Amino acid sequence: MHSTNYIIRFVLIMTTLAALILASLNTFLGPQHAKNEKIYNKRAVLAAVKDHLDGTPLTDMTDQQVEDVFANKIQQEVINMSGEVIEGVTAESVDLAKERKKPEADRLLPLYVYTDSAGKKYYILSIRGNGLWDEIWGSIALEEDMKTVAGASFDHKGETPGLGAEIKDNPAFPEQFTGKTIIDEQGNYTSVVVKKGGATNPANEVDAISGATVTSNGVTEMLYRGIRYYQPYFNKLEQKS
Amino acid sequence: MAEVMQDTQEVKEKEPLFGKAERKLLIDPINDNNPITVQVLGVCSALAVTTLVYPSIIMAIAVIFVTAFSNLFTSMLRNTIPKSVRMIVQLVIIATLVTIVEQVLKAVNFPVYKQLSVFIGLIITNCIVMGRLEAFAMANKPWRSFVDGIGNGLGYGLILVIVAVFREIFGKGSLLAGSPMEMKIIGASDLYWINTATNPWFGWYMNNNLMVLSVAAMFILGILIWVQRSRNPKLIDIS
């Protein structure tokens, strides 16, 4: 049998060693982690305008190409809830997960303006809401008229594979959003509705995922609230032009 | 096989580096003593991560790394570890290795890290790892423990990949999706080898949505165990 003294010494040395190894590894790999995460988020933003990227499709792009598109073709803006542009911050630095915890009036919204080679502008909005098990989020691209959806991409933290997770895994789901409008015939804001039992109004409804009612409703709710947040900014833009 | 060659070369030494005992340690867990299908350990992660083949392969590599090196380090320390805290010491070793795997994967392949999410961290709780430390590494020399770890990791990984192949083909119509060698096999667009939208023979075909749920892994695992028990003479009268 070992003495208590020995046991304590053994455990102390052991845990200190383990802590040292892990701490140095984390310091060493930390910058790479941050870089990977940034690229991952950038790809998610670009996925919303993937039909309008010039040249290589998004899945074949190298990290460097993604960075180039971001540096040359995307203008980052941060706006507040009353539609004013906040200077001196980049859209990337705004974390919607943290913004969601603030009171609604204080939130900041990231906005990416993508200009394609023909000079056409796309506004990429970031939205975030709740699915069935955890948070869901996505990017919605609007065309120059700020009313027509040019593309969408979604992601989630823990939706059920084969059901709710289809919002990300099944490319046919986000593709439905292309060409929908976020206003009704009277010009009032309606957002795009994910409709259970199949879309009836082709202008602003898409088919829900069967078996994933809660996630589908979550997407509807997220779209409705998320896109509405940007409306003051778009209204100001329209008045200017 | 490479093992056989090594075997004959090093037969002159007193205790060969890779002798019969080592070979048995490496091969046994792959079939006769498979950690998943025979010992029924580590089933949880086998059900969860096997929707796609590529992440399953990464997961298998991660587990092989953890079982091999935790076995090695535990075996090296086995005479100095105080008996009263041995479980804690083993857990510290496992947790350190798992965190190393997680950090490295996050730096090397971020999309797969995102896909596997918590399951890399949950290798810590995989019964295979702790089970091998208790049952083997605490009583055997480092080199043999290391080989035993690789063997058990391989046995686990093999089942993972077999289950994933079935689930990905029938659930998604693809193979190795997300990797550079992605193959699209059957689906309703021109990108797939068999285009169900135009092919006259496969117009009825649809991906089986059950396959993406973990329930399907349970069925496939059950069938695998059944096939193995009815074919392997050593397992037939096990009860």
Side-chain angles (χ1 to χ4, degrees):
Chain A
M1 280 299 283
H2 296 284
S3 66
T4 318
N5 195 336
Y6 175 83
I7 296 174
I8 291 173
R9 258 189 301 145
F10 186 92
V11 171
L12 271 181
I13 293 172
M14 169 100 202
T15 42
T16 318
L17 261 178
L20 268 178
I21 293 171
L22 293 183
S24 46
L25 188 75
N26 195 19
T27 323
F28 179 64
L29 293 174
Q32 186 64 33
H33 292 169
K35 202 179 136 203
N36 286 351
E37 188 142 22
K38 263 190 176 168
I39 292 275
Y40 188 81
N41 293 337
K42 282 177 178 173
R43 279 183 192 271
V45 169
L46 285 186
V49 286
K50 67 173 187 297
D51 300 336
H52 308 282
L53 295 173
D54 317 303
T56 25
L58 182 62
T59 41
D60 296 341
M61 272 192 188
T62 60
D63 293 351
Q64 189 54 45
Q65 279 170 309
V66 172
E67 293 278 11
D68 286 347
V69 172
F70 250 77
N72 302 325
K73 293 183 175 169
I74 288 208
Q75 191 195 341
Q76 300 190 20
E77 270 171 20
V78 176
I79 54 179
N80 65 13
M81 293 297 285
S82 43
E84 289 146 351
V85 177
I86 312 270
E87 301 292 337
V89 247
T90 57
E92 277 176 78
S93 61
V94 178
D95 183 359
L96 266 189
K98 281 182 195 149
E99 299 297 322
R100 276 191 80 205
K101 297 198 177 89
K102 293 185 192 171
E104 237 178 25
D106 299 344
R107 290 184 196 171
L108 295 177
L109 305 164
L111 175 70
Y112 301 88
V113 186
Y114 170 76
T115 317
D116 71 2
S117 51
K120 235 179 129 190
K121 272 185 177 178
Y122 297 92
Y123 299 92
I124 308 172
L125 325 180
S126 302
I127 51 177
R128 205 172 177 99
N130 288 323
L132 172 60
W133 303 115
D134 216 317
E135 288 195 310
I136 52 176
W137 60 92
S139 301
I140 285 274
L142 296 180
E143 292 194 8
E144 229 160 353
D145 63 359
M146 294 168 268
K147 307 271 184 286
T148 315
V149 178
S153 80
F154 299 102
D155 203 346
H156 61 91
K157 199 169 177 188
E159 299 307 295
T160 321
L163 300 172
E166 292 288 284
I167 60 169
K168 181 192 178 199
D169 296 343
N170 188 348
F173 181 74
E175 269 164 24
Q176 294 184 94
F177 286 85
T178 311
K180 306 287 168 192
T181 59
I182 57 165
I183 51 165
D184 62 11
E185 291 100 42
Q186 283 80 44
N188 299 319
Y189 173 71
T190 57
S191 168
V192 183
V193 177
V194 183
K195 188 90 177 214
K196 202 182 161 188
T200 46
N201 178 359
N204 44 28
E205 284 179 4
V206 297
D207 295 342
I209 300 157
S210 45
T213 312
V214 180
T215 311
S216 300
N217 290 345
V219 174
T220 304
E221 195 274 342
M222 162 174 89
L223 287 167
Y224 183 80
R225 222 154 25 87
I227 302 177
R228 198 191 58 203
Y229 287 163
Y230 287 87
Q231 293 309 309
Y233 172 79
F234 288 140
N235 290 339
K236 277 186 187 172
L237 268 190
E238 270 183 341
Q239 280 163 15
K240 259 192 226 162
S241 57
Chain B
M1 273 164 77
E3 292 98 300
V4 183
M5 271 178 63
Q6 273 183 353
D7 193 24
T8 46
Q9 278 166 6
E10 277 151 324
V11 84
K12 283 166 216 154
E13 285 174 32
K14 245 185 176 177
E15 214 175 33
L17 197 59
F18 205 93
K20 252 197 183 134
E22 280 81 7
R23 198 159 82 222
K24 193 167 155 21
L25 285 176
L26 193 67
I27 304 292
D28 242 21
I30 292 176
N31 187 0
D32 298 347
N33 202 7
N34 190 289
I36 298 185
T37 58
V38 179
Q39 299 175 24
V40 201
L41 294 175
V43 175
C44 216
S45 54
L47 300 189
V49 300
T50 50
T51 32
L52 298 172
V53 177
Y54 186 53
S56 310
I57 293 174
I58 304 276
M59 180 73 179
I61 294 170
V63 171
I64 292 171
F65 175 84
V66 173
T67 47
F69 282 94
S70 61
N71 259 6
L72 176 71
F73 292 134
T74 311
S75 176
M76 278 158 73
L77 295 172
R78 71 185 187 283
N79 295 326
T80 56
I81 297 175
K83 286 279 169 293
S84 48
V85 292
R86 74 173 193 290
M87 288 275 196
I88 297 166
V89 172
Q90 288 165 2
L91 262 184
V92 170
I93 294 174
I94 300 171
T96 309
L97 288 166
V98 169
T99 316
I100 290 175
V101 169
E102 194 170 13
Q103 298 270 323
V104 170
L105 183 65
K106 195 175 172 188
V108 174
N109 196 333
F110 197 79
V112 171
Y113 165 79
K114 276 274 179 185
Q115 221 162 8
L116 288 173
S117 61
V118 294
F119 291 105
I120 287 288
L122 284 179
I123 297 175
I124 296 174
T125 61
N126 194 323
C127 315
I128 298 171
V129 186
M130 197 76 166
R132 285 334 283 173
L133 295 191
E134 274 293 275
F136 197 88
M138 288 302 281
N140 285 280
K141 286 188 178 143
W143 170 241
R144 288 202 174 170
S145 302
F146 184 73
V147 175
D148 178 78
I150 292 184
N152 276 282
L154 275 177
Y156 169 85
L158 182 74
I159 300 297
L160 225 62
V161 173
I162 294 176
V163 175
V165 165
F166 281 107
R167 289 182 70 185
E168 190 171 350
I169 291 179
F170 293 111
K172 300 253 174 194
S174 62
L175 205 57
L176 286 164
S179 76
M181 281 154 49
E182 181 168 350
M183 282 180 268
K184 290 183 178 295
I185 294 169
I186 189 161
S189 91
D190 274 337
L191 297 167
Y192 294 89
W193 287 348
I194 303 170
N195 184 347
T196 53
T198 56
N199 192 304
W201 301 97
F202 288 95
W204 50 271
Y205 184 85
M206 265 182 87
N207 283 336
N208 187 343
N209 266 339
L210 179 71
M211 281 292 174
V212 256
L213 303 178
S214 33
V215 185
M218 197 83 223
F219 288 141
I220 297 172
L221 212 54
I223 294 170
L224 270 182
I225 293 177
W226 178 25
V227 171
Q228 194 195 13
R229 296 239 158 154
S230 57
R231 299 214 146 231
N232 190 331
K234 285 185 196 158
L235 297 173
I236 283 176
D237 277 320
I238 204 157
S239 59

